Amino acid sequence: MKINIEKIRKDFPVLHQEVNGKPLVYFDNAASTQKPKVVIDRIANYYANEHSNIHRGVHSLSAAATEEYEAARKTVQAHLNATHDHEIIFTKGTTDGINLVANGFRSILKEGDEVLISELEHHSNIVPWQMACEGTGAKLKVIPINDQGEWIMEEFHNLLSDRTKLVAVNHVSNALGTINPVEEVIHAAHSKNIPVLLDGAQATPHMGVNVQDLDCEFYALSGHKLFGPTGIGVLYGKEDWLNKLPPYQGGGDMIKSVSFEKTTYNELPFKFEAGTPNIAGVLGLKSAIDYVTAIGLDVIAEYEQELLEYGTEKLSQIEGSKIYGTAKNKASVISFLLEGIHPYDTGTILDKLGIAVRTGHHCTEPIMTRFGIPGTVRASFAFYNTKEEIDKLYDGILRVKKMFG
Ligand code: 7TS
């Protein structure tokens, strides 16, 4: 099936505006994606007609809201192909999900243990592990990358040892777009009985993810990168591992009984969902998943690869432009620099032309250090972007070069 781009663009109200007097070209999708009208309507309708707290009252509104909330959990379960719906924990986002696991590992890690991450990680998959290591005496180990922005797999295999208590790596890199060989990592880790956490913030907007096929122990994602609302995310965890980890936060909903002498915790998934959750966010996320599922994740992936190839070719034609991240397997992210021009200058001029790109280190300072650069300009494409928009980026870059070259 081919993507119906005209119809799709009509679904996203935000795309139809001018920025600085020019039609908006939104190429900052790796930071956050835009929302289709069905998601916006779902949230508005919930607050207009359906709102009540969940898992509490016997009254009809509360029962209906609870039903919708739990139906959304089943949608996520199906989307990720998790074995059980109680393996789906609603979080604030990827950062929150990783922190939940890292907090739990504070009770597992001991002096001499190691946590293995990679040089490609977003800060949110570095800092929580540094914090967990700091409190336990465990050490952080890092898989290095090559000049293309790919993990050096021999180094990974050398770093994996009996001291490794967890491998925590991203599925797709936000800064360079690399699609990582996570299958090989999981297979090797499991041969030593080591659990694996995948940061799926950048994979889930671009491809279907099957956690049973991957066989990872944990998978974290953000709703707002998946065309859903901000402030909502998902942590998938295998049942036995979620049972092994202590609760992250204490409060309402996560308990079975409370007395001053002893509190017992609720079962999964509620053990990890303390307090009133982001009900509207959960319902909006369900609509977003239904929306991309209806288009087809394969259709989306194929179209975005077309955009990536087209964009890569166009940018490569520009003298003095250098693309960072040239892995064989890439998602639709192009990070680049123009010789002698600071990324902020490029980003500022492009903004004047209505083109939204992200500039800077993209919360991946170690990658920038690895390449010896202050940051990059990053154009990241979603399925509502077009080749015509990429042509505008190309023309915009030529303007930047004329002004600063
Ligand atoms: N992991 C990866 C790979 C990410 O790209 C991001 C956000 C996160 C984790 C954190 O997600 P959050 O929803 O909890 O904030 N990445 C970006 C980015 O590339 N530009 O802005 C945010």
Side-chain angles (χ1 to χ4, degrees), residues 79-80 171 203-211 214 219 296-298 301:
H79 189 64
L80 297 178
H171 195 169
T204 39
H206 301 292
M207 59 181 80
V209 168
N210 184 329
V211 290
L214 284 170
Y219 198 97
L297 286 155
D298 291 353

Side-chain angles (χ1 to χ4, degrees), residues 237-259:
K238 279 187 186 168
E239 183 181 43
D240 58 336
W241 269 99
L242 289 177
N243 278 326
K244 217 178 289 183
L245 294 187
Y248 180 35
Q249 292 187 318
D253 242 19
M254 57 75 73
I255 51 86
K256 244 189 198 130
S257 76
V258 177
S259 73

Side-chain angles (χ1 to χ4, degrees), residues 303-380:
Y303 178 65
E304 288 181 349
Q305 282 300 315
E306 237 179 78
L307 292 180
L308 175 66
E309 267 170 44
Y310 186 75
T312 304
E313 201 187 304
K314 287 293 271 193
L315 260 76
S316 307
Q317 289 167 11
I318 300 174
E319 216 186 297
S321 79
K322 181 170 178 194
I323 293 176
Y324 290 85
T326 50
K328 268 189 234 87
N329 287 321
K330 265 188 79 172
S332 50
V333 172
I334 304 181
S335 253
F336 66 96
L337 281 178
L338 302 173
E339 202 181 346
I341 305 174
H342 196 278
Y344 291 133
D345 292 331
T346 306
T348 305
I349 301 303
L350 290 175
D351 178 59
K352 295 267 181 291
L353 302 171
I355 303 167
V357 291
R358 187 168 171 191
T359 57
H361 56 58
H362 317 298
C363 299
T364 57
E365 277 192 62
I367 300 180
M368 303 305 140
T369 305
R370 161 69 175 74
F371 286 103
I373 52 177
T376 69
V377 182
R378 183 185 67 185
S380 49

